[in-house]
Amino acid sequence: NAGVTQTPKFRILKIGQSMTLQCTQDMNHNYMYWYRQDPGMGLKLIYYSVGAGITDKGEVPNGYNVSRSTTEDFPLRLELAAPSQTSVYFCASSLLGPIVKLFFGSGTQLSVL
Amino acid sequence: TQLLEQSPQFLSIQEGENLTVYCNSSSVFSSLQWYRQEPGEGPVLLVTVVTGGEVKKLKRLTFQFGDARKDSSLHITAAQPGDTGLYLCAGVGNQGGKLIFGQGTELSVKP
């Protein structure tokens, strides 16, 4: 089973460029999440979705956008990339919400120079 | 804003030693999870504790949820190099049921 798949694995952006981080899951999970991880800071929730067509902001949503047109896919869009968005991004999914097990992808390491 | 504070932030020990990692908050959580993360990978769930005072064991790892559901601990007995990694606690808060993560404890076990 593939689980949660993220692409790309690594990316370097110039300031002001835009990009989309892709995330897809094959477990038919309703809940999907985007986190960013910075050294010594744990994981911070960017956006989450409780089902297709429904998204909501997390702790650090500024500079990001998401969409959830299907159960499987939850892309994260960065508009006008800034150095502060240099981080490792993780997508995750769960069946019934955060109280149950989250399945994480292997992450996207993004550098904005 | 609910926060989870982990301590210590870094821990370097020799194989065979015991260790405890703490996860503390001033807020009550309905449940707490512990994840382990290896370099280049996403976190993987180790355990979920939901009842105040609950103790769960996973081989050499013992997890405890505080009676007041504000804190948790992870104890590793006779640590091995394979235990090396980043340990994260995470709690379901009262802000829309979002999962809140601690900042992590980086554990290094040397042979």
Side-chain angles (χ1 to χ4, degrees), chain A residues 4-9 21-24 34 89-92 104-108:
Chain A
V4 179
T5 302
Q6 289 184 237
T7 56
K9 185 74 173 176
L21 280 66
Q22 302 292 343
C23 175
T24 187
W34 274 105
Y89 292 84
F90 287 98
C91 179
F104 283 85
S106 56
T108 295

Side-chain angles (χ1 to χ4, degrees), chain B residues 6 8 27 29 33 55 61 70 75 81-83 90:
Chain B
Q6 283 187 242
S27 305
F29 286 85
Q33 302 174 359
V55 177
L61 279 62
K70 293 183 179 181
H75 182 79
D83 296 325

